[in-house]
Amino acid sequence: MVTLTREACEEYAQEVQKLSTKLMELIALSLGLPENRFNGFFKDQTSSIRFNHYPSCPIPHLALGVGQHKDIGVLTVLAQDDVGGLQVRRKIDGEWISVKPTPDAYIVNVGQIMQVWSNDKYESVEHRVMVNSEKERFSIPFFLTPAHYTMVKPLEELTDDQNPAKYRACNWGKFFITRKGSNFRKLNVENIQFYHFRVSNMKKRGGVHRKITHLTVSTSLSFLSLKIMVLYIIMKSLLAFIF
Ligand SMILES: O=C(O)CCC(=O)C(=O)O
Ligand SMILES: [Fe+2]
């Protein structure tokens, strides 16, 4: 049995954070930006680590370890054991492809924030985790996320008249709180995602954006009904006063 101490976790977090900083510098260079372009976003970063345990499951085809999703952060640096189960969705045909575990290697996922920052030059991949009928599995993802006050939007250097911003700005802290506090399952809608802020999605009425902004929509609706009620009361008193 392996015992994880707080010190070991903290040391691991610090090291993987350093690795992520290095990766962000390389990504900046790959986008033709100065190496330190992203550093400012991570001064008060909200990054986190998760310890995933997937117990073995006698009927694996009826269960999923983690349902299909795109990571919401900037990057995910994932450590996994040798059991396997992670699958990524191939874009061209939607086929689920198993990611073979490579010893002593990390898997790095591009998250939705990176996709927004790069105005779609980098794309976040959809993935899920299958369970194993005999073996339990462990994985440790590190989610690199910016300071809570960061306005997530395409970088200005990567947009111009020919290539306009594909996403509207969104406050990361508010996004995260909305996501965590959402009762999306009860409402049978998808939880909030950065791709809901795509300009093209937002134009479509009745599209995904309308679904996920139910909070805003219902708030404005109740505000509207309140206004109608007040107007009704005023009218009634006015009529009562006149007649
Ligand atoms: O366990 C894995 O391999 C991936 C887990 C994952 O996708 C996540 O926690 O976001
Ligand atoms: Fe994930």
Side-chain angles (χ1 to χ4, degrees):
M1 195 179 131
V2 182
T3 313
L4 276 177
T5 60
R6 170 192 280 257
E7 288 74 27
C9 292
E10 283 176 357
E11 197 184 332
Y12 180 74
Q14 275 166 18
E15 291 307 315
V16 80
Q17 197 176 306
K18 276 191 223 158
L19 172 67
S20 306
T21 307
K22 194 77 218 154
L23 288 170
M24 288 311 294
E25 287 172 359
L26 294 171
I27 289 176
L29 292 176
S30 77
L31 290 166
L33 303 167
E35 194 180 57
N36 64 356
R37 176 62 177 90
F38 293 107
N39 293 3
F41 294 121
F42 300 106
K43 203 168 95 26
D44 302 314
Q45 61 185 277
T46 53
S47 303
S48 59
I49 279 197
R50 191 186 290 152
F51 291 84
N52 290 328
H53 175 219
Y54 305 95
S56 62
C57 171
I59 33 173
H61 62 284
L62 291 184
L64 272 177
V66 180
Q68 66 188 79
H69 66 283
K70 292 180 177 190
D71 291 346
I72 53 168
V74 179
L75 288 183
T76 305
V77 180
L78 176 80
Q80 60 166 338
D81 59 19
D82 59 1
V83 176
L86 176 65
Q87 293 186 327
V88 294
R89 198 175 163 96
R90 193 162 54 195
K91 210 179 156 190
I92 38 163
D93 56 4
E95 189 91 4
W96 286 104
I97 310 293
S98 294
V99 180
K100 256 213 222 136
T102 307
D104 301 323
Y106 286 121
I107 289 163
V108 179
N109 278 339
V110 167
Q112 294 182 40
I113 296 182
M114 190 63 241
Q115 179 160 352
V116 174
W117 278 347
S118 70
N119 207 28
D120 280 356
K121 282 211 167 73
Y122 276 89
E123 205 173 318
S124 179
V125 73
E126 208 160 14
H127 56 283
R128 68 180 186 184
V129 180
M130 308 302 281
V131 280
N132 192 291
S133 59
E134 277 128 43
K135 292 183 186 163
E136 61 179 352
R137 175 176 181 262
F138 292 91
S139 74
I140 312 176
F142 170 80
F143 300 102
L144 179 73
T145 49
H148 67 90
Y149 47 77
T150 306
M151 287 306 289
V152 178
K153 58 179 184 202
L155 298 183
E156 271 152 30
E157 305 93 303
L158 302 178
T159 57
D160 55 30
D161 289 348
Q162 272 73 51
N163 184 27
K166 294 184 172 137
Y167 299 87
R168 252 189 19 161
C170 170
N171 177 284
W172 161 242
K174 282 192 187 154
F175 176 96
F176 190 71
I177 299 279
T178 306
R179 196 175 155 88
K180 288 287 162 203
S182 162
N183 55 352
F184 68 100
R185 281 214 180 94
K186 279 195 194 146
L187 294 165
N188 213 13
V189 293
E190 189 186 27
N191 203 350
I192 189 168
Q193 310 285 346
F194 276 104
Y195 49 77
H196 296 150
F197 290 79
R198 261 189 93 92
V199 175
S200 53
N201 277 349
M202 301 194 71
K203 277 187 195 144
K204 272 188 235 152
R205 278 193 62 79
V208 191
H209 176 65
R210 196 154 160 244
K211 272 198 208 159
I212 63 97
T213 51
H214 54 266
L215 288 177
T216 337
V217 171
S218 56
T219 320
S220 52
L221 273 183
S222 47
F223 187 54
L224 187 71
S225 41
L226 187 75
K227 277 207 288 200
I228 292 173
M229 236 166 75
V230 171
L231 208 67
Y232 174 66
I233 294 169
I234 294 174
M235 292 276 283
K236 244 181 113 180
S237 351
L238 212 66
L239 287 173
F241 180 70
I242 296 170
F243 301 106

